[in-house]
């Protein structure tokens, strides 16, 4: 219990650490989103600056073209000026008025040319200043963008580290949870066994105390009355001519049923673990349901596996009723054990459950074979496991048939003669050995498959833990089926022995005669007790 408490404390600490990491993860995610938004804004600003630069370059090209036009016009004007000077020199003798007109025209051209030159210089200065300012702004924006991108990469690295740590923490917690579940189930089973043994011991103690008190009273009465003939022993079980071997038969039947109940409880626990861990594996491999949805076939398979307790637990409950119905005051033969019929019906229901999930088991293994990383060796092991599962289901069908036959006499007493009963018990013992061999073979193949899977590069800690739990359930199944087969074979003589016989008679009583005999014994004992009092 101390280990369980330590594990629970460790689990709660890990859960608190996980909550803190998750809160930090949210803050970092928000910071990354803000930095990404700032980066996008800066990229938009850079884009606008580029557009402005292109616009200014277009204006510069336009001004350059206009400048060329003005330069051509200046050349033309200079040519015209030169021509007019030539003409003015030739016509000096004609008078001063034309030369004055030429000078005026030249002055106008010079002023216009000077203005155009000044305007062109001013435009060149403005363009240079705008280009320098744009380059500086672009350099600043690029430096800021690089810094933001570096910060974003650092934040992303922190987020990735936290995510990896978060996944590892979850896998470790799931591993601890699986181990705790296995340990809890083991402790529950041990506690249940202890309670049953305690209850049985208490019943035996009360029975012994009652018998001792009765014997003390009888002895005291004999001593006081000093009767020469002591008839006070008539209430004893064997004083009414009931053979002692019939009583031994009842005690043996109860002891054998008690042992069988213990085996059935272990078998039920092993089957529950096997089906539960198979369901967990379906959600992990070949696809992890926490990352991507599994196939519809595996979803249906998982749904059926989740219902396993409704078929497995009634086996233990009905056999417990069978054990409780066998007492020292009853006649235990196939014709009187009515509760065996309930166990047979529940065993039939579980066999139908195995038949229902068998196609899904086979198809699920086919999906594993179709996985990209499935090697040839894994495919071979999956094929062997498919054959093993078919064989185990077939053996359960045989066991169901034999148990149903043994339950028939409690419905109709002449349903099966004694010779056939012995044959059915013999075949049942052989089938139990077949079941042990089949599960042992399946366990061997699964161990080999697990060894190959461990070498795959994509195997996760979650899959390793589930596989270990599955191998543990296979080991439990192999052990308990072997114990059941050995137990049944060792007690086969008792199962095939004849029923109750009266003293001095070699013919067995039928159940009605045996019940009538015990009823008369009880009446006689009650009559003697009434006479004594």
């Amino acid at each position: 219990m101390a280990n369980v408490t330590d594990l629970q404390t460790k689990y709660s600490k890990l859960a608190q650490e996980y909550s803190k990491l998750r809160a930090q993860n949210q803050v970092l995610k928000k910071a990354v989103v803000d930095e990404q938004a700032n980066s996008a804004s800066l990229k938009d600003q850079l884009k606008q600056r580029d557009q402005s630069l292109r616009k200014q370059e277009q204006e510069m090209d336009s001004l350059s073209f206009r400048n060329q036009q003005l330069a051509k016009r200046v050349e033309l004007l200079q040519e015209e000026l030169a021509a007019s000077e030539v003409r003015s020199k030739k016509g000096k003798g004609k008078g001063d008025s034309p030369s004055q007109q030429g000078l005026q025209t030249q002055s106008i051209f010079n002023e216009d040319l000077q203005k155009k030159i000044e305007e062109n210089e001013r435009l060149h200065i403005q363009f240079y200043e705008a280009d320098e300012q744009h380059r500086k702004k672009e350099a600043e924006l690029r430096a800021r963008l690089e810094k933001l991108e570096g910060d974003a990469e650092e934040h992303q690295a922190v987020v990735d580290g936290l995510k990896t740590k978060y996944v590892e923490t979850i896998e470790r917690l799931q591993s601890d949870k699986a181990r705790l579940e296995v340990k809890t189930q083991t402790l529950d089973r041990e506690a249940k066994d202890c309670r049953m043994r305690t209850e049985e011991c208490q019943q035996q103690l009360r029975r012994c105390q009652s018998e001792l008190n009765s014997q003390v009273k009888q002895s005291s009465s004999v001593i006081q009355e000093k009767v020469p003939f002591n008839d006070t022993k008539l209430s004893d079980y064997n004083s009414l001519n009931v053979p002692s071997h019939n009583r031994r038969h009842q005690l043996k039947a109860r002891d054998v049923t008690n042992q069988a109940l213990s085996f059935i409880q272990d078998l039920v626990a092993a089957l529950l673990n096997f089906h539960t861990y198979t369901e967990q594996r379906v959600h992990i491999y070949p696809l992890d349901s926490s990352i991507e949805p599994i196939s519809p076939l595996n979803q249906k398979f998982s749904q059926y596996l989740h219902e396993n307790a409704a078929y497995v637990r009634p086996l233990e409950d009905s056999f417990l009723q069978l054990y409780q119905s066998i007492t020292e005051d009853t006649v235990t033969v196939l014709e009187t054990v009515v509760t065996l019929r309930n166990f047979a019906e529940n065993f039939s229901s579980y066999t139908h459950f195995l038949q229902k999930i068998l196609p899904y088991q086979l198809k699920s293994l086919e999906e594993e074979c179709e996985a990209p990383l499935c090697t040839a060796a894994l495919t071979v092991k999956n094929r062997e496991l498919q054959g093993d599962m078919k064989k185990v289901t077939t053996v359960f069908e045989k066991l169901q048939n034999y148990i149903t036959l043994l339950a028939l006499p409690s419905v109709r007493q002449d349903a099966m003669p004694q010779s056939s009963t012995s044959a059915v018990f013999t075949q049942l013992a052989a089938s139990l050995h077949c079941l042990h061999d089949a599960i042992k073979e399946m366990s061997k193949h699964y161990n080999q498959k697990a060894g190959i899977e461990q070498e795959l590069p994509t195997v996760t800690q979650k899959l390793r833990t589930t596989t270990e739990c599955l191998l543990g359930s296979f080991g439990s199944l192999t052990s308990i089926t072997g114990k059941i087969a050995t137990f049944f074979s060792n007690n086969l003589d008792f199962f095939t022995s004849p029923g109750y016989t009266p003293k001095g008679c070699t013919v067995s009583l039928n159940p009605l005669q045996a019940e009538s005999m015990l009823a008369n014994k009880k009446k006689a004992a009650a009559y003697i007790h009434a006479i004594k009092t």
Side-chain angles (χ1 to χ4, degrees):
M1 294 301 291
N3 292 333
V4 174
T5 305
D6 293 340
L7 287 175
Q8 289 176 348
T9 304
K10 183 180 178 182
Y11 181 81
S12 62
K13 289 181 179 178
L14 288 174
Q16 292 175 358
E17 183 180 355
Y18 163 69
S19 300
K20 292 179 182 178
L21 291 176
R22 189 171 184 178
Q24 293 176 0
N25 189 21
Q26 294 295 330
V27 173
L28 289 173
K29 280 186 177 179
K30 185 178 179 181
V32 170
V33 171
D34 293 341
E35 293 297 336
Q36 289 176 347
N38 291 335
S39 177
S41 176
L42 290 175
K43 286 182 179 178
D44 291 338
Q45 292 180 11
L46 183 61
K47 185 177 180 181
Q48 292 175 0
R49 294 290 180 180
D50 288 337
Q51 291 176 353
S52 176
L53 178 62
R54 284 195 295 272
K55 185 176 179 180
Q56 290 179 359
E57 288 177 350
Q58 290 176 356
E59 291 178 355
M60 182 64 184
D61 292 340
S62 176
L63 290 173
S64 297
F65 177 72
R66 180 66 176 165
N67 191 23
Q68 290 176 359
Q69 288 181 338
L70 290 174
K72 289 181 180 179
R73 185 178 176 185
V74 168
E75 289 178 358
L76 291 174
L77 289 173
Q78 287 177 347
E79 289 176 358
E80 290 179 359
L81 179 61
S84 65
E85 288 178 350
V86 172
R87 285 195 301 269
S88 65
K89 288 179 179 181
K90 289 181 179 182
K92 274 186 178 181
K94 294 182 178 180
D96 294 334
S97 61
S99 71
Q100 289 179 352
Q101 292 179 353
L103 290 173
Q104 291 176 353
T105 303
Q106 183 178 2
S107 176
I108 292 171
F109 285 151
N110 288 335
E111 289 178 359
D112 190 13
L113 178 61
Q114 186 66 29
K115 290 180 181 179
K116 295 297 181 181
I117 292 171
E118 291 175 355
E119 183 180 3
N120 191 20
E121 289 178 355
R122 182 175 56 80
L123 290 175
H124 270 290
I125 291 171
Q126 289 179 353
F127 175 77
Y128 177 77
E129 291 177 351
D131 185 55
E132 286 295 324
Q133 186 179 3
H134 173 74
R135 287 179 180 176
K136 290 181 180 179
K137 190 68 176 178
E138 182 181 4
E140 291 176 359
L141 292 175
R142 289 188 183 280
R144 188 177 176 187
L145 179 61
E146 290 177 357
K147 182 180 179 182
L148 289 174
E149 286 178 348
D151 293 341
E153 289 178 357
E154 291 178 359
H155 286 306
Q156 189 62 39
V158 173
V159 170
D160 293 339
L162 289 175
K163 188 179 292 185
T164 303
K165 189 175 181 180
Y166 160 73
V167 171
E168 291 175 353
T169 303
I170 287 180
E171 290 181 353
R172 186 169 63 253
L173 289 174
Q174 289 177 342
S175 175
D176 292 341
K177 182 181 177 183
R179 292 192 181 93
L180 281 173
E181 287 178 351
V182 173
K183 191 166 186 178
T184 302
Q185 291 175 359
T186 304
L187 291 174
D188 288 341
R189 187 165 61 252
E190 291 177 355
K192 189 173 182 180
D193 293 340
C194 290
R195 284 195 299 270
M196 288 189 61
R197 287 196 295 269
T198 302
E199 183 180 354
E200 186 176 356
C201 290
Q202 288 176 349
Q203 291 177 355
Q204 292 178 358
L205 178 61
R206 286 194 293 269
R207 189 162 55 247
C208 291
Q209 288 177 345
S210 176
E211 291 177 358
L212 288 174
N213 290 334
S214 176
Q215 291 177 6
V216 167
K217 289 180 181 179
Q218 291 173 2
S219 300
S220 300
S221 176
V222 171
I223 293 172
Q224 291 174 3
E225 296 177 3
K226 296 182 179 180
V227 290
F229 174 69
N230 182 12
D231 59 353
T232 56
K233 297 285 185 179
L234 287 176
S235 60
D236 187 44
Y237 190 94
N238 290 320
S239 62
L240 296 176
N241 254 354
V242 180
S244 60
H245 70 273
N246 289 338
R247 177 178 173 82
R248 288 195 299 270
H249 178 88
Q250 277 302 113
L251 295 175
K252 177 70 173 177
R254 184 168 176 82
D255 179 63
V256 168
T257 311
N258 185 26
Q259 295 181 50
L261 174 61
S262 176
F263 291 139
I264 290 294
Q265 289 171 340
D266 292 341
L267 177 64
V268 166
L271 289 173
L272 287 173
N273 288 336
F274 171 68
H275 292 309
T276 301
Y277 294 132
T278 301
E279 179 189 0
Q280 289 184 10
R281 179 182 170 84
V282 168
H283 283 282
I284 299 173
Y285 190 80
L287 298 176
D288 193 337
S289 60
S290 63
I291 300 175
E292 55 185 320
I294 59 178
S295 66
L297 181 136
N298 275 337
Q299 289 179 0
K300 196 69 175 177
F301 185 30
S302 172
Q303 178 183 346
Y304 285 149
L305 287 172
H306 196 68
E307 303 169 355
N308 73 88
Y311 297 95
V312 179
R313 292 196 184 278
L315 295 175
E316 179 181 350
D317 297 337
S318 57
F319 203 89
L320 178 60
Q321 294 174 2
L322 173 62
Y323 167 69
Q324 292 173 345
S325 67
I326 299 175
T327 64
E328 296 180 10
D329 297 331
T330 57
V331 177
T332 304
V333 288
L334 291 179
E335 290 82 357
T336 60
V337 185
V338 180
T339 50
L340 179 60
R341 186 169 51 197
N342 297 333
F343 178 75
E345 291 173 355
N346 291 325
F347 195 90
S348 177
S349 298
Y350 177 67
T351 303
H352 292 323
F353 169 73
L354 292 180
Q355 293 170 341
K356 180 172 68 174
I357 66 173
L358 178 61
Y360 294 94
Q361 286 179 317
L362 302 180
K363 289 291 184 180
S364 181
L365 289 172
E366 287 288 344
E367 283 193 5
E368 290 189 17
C369 293
E370 295 171 0
L373 295 177
C374 184
T375 61
L378 267 180
T379 302
V380 171
K381 294 305 169 187
N382 285 333
R383 296 283 185 256
E384 291 175 347
L385 284 172
Q386 285 178 328
D388 295 334
M389 290 173 180
K390 291 178 182 177
K391 188 174 182 180
V392 169
T393 305
T394 302
V395 176
F396 266 100
E397 291 171 358
K398 289 183 180 179
L399 291 173
Q400 172 203 343
N401 293 333
Y402 293 136
I403 294 174
T404 303
L405 285 175
L406 293 176
L408 280 178
S410 63
V411 180
R412 196 182 62 188
Q413 295 181 0
D414 58 346
M416 187 167 52
Q418 180 66 30
S419 58
S420 299
T421 302
S422 301
V424 172
F425 273 117
T426 304
Q427 291 298 322
L428 180 59
S431 296
L432 287 172
H433 282 286
C434 290
L435 177 64
H436 171 63
D437 294 339
I439 291 181
K440 184 178 179 181
E441 191 71 11
M442 185 164 64
S443 176
K444 182 184 76 172
H445 291 155
Y446 204 93
N447 270 282
Q448 294 171 350
K449 175 184 175 180
I452 298 173
E453 281 184 347
Q454 297 302 317
E455 300 174 359
L456 294 178
T458 57
V459 64
T460 62
Q461 183 60 39
K462 193 190 303 183
L463 179 60
R464 287 193 181 97
T465 303
T466 304
T467 302
E468 289 175 1
C469 294
L470 258 176
L471 292 176
S473 65
F474 270 120
S476 299
L477 280 173
T478 304
S479 174
I480 190 58
T481 51
K483 291 179 181 178
I484 292 175
T486 303
F487 161 78
F488 203 88
S489 297
N490 292 340
N491 291 278
L492 189 59
D493 292 338
F494 171 74
F495 292 131
T496 57
S497 62
Y500 280 64
T501 57
K503 191 172 183 179
C505 181
T506 58
V507 181
S508 299
L509 294 177
N510 63 41
L512 291 178
Q513 291 172 338
E515 290 285 358
S516 177
M517 176 192 70
L518 287 178
N520 291 331
K521 184 214 78 164
K522 292 178 182 178
K523 290 180 181 179
Y527 176 74
I528 295 298
H529 182 70
I531 292 175
K532 285 168 52 183
T533 57

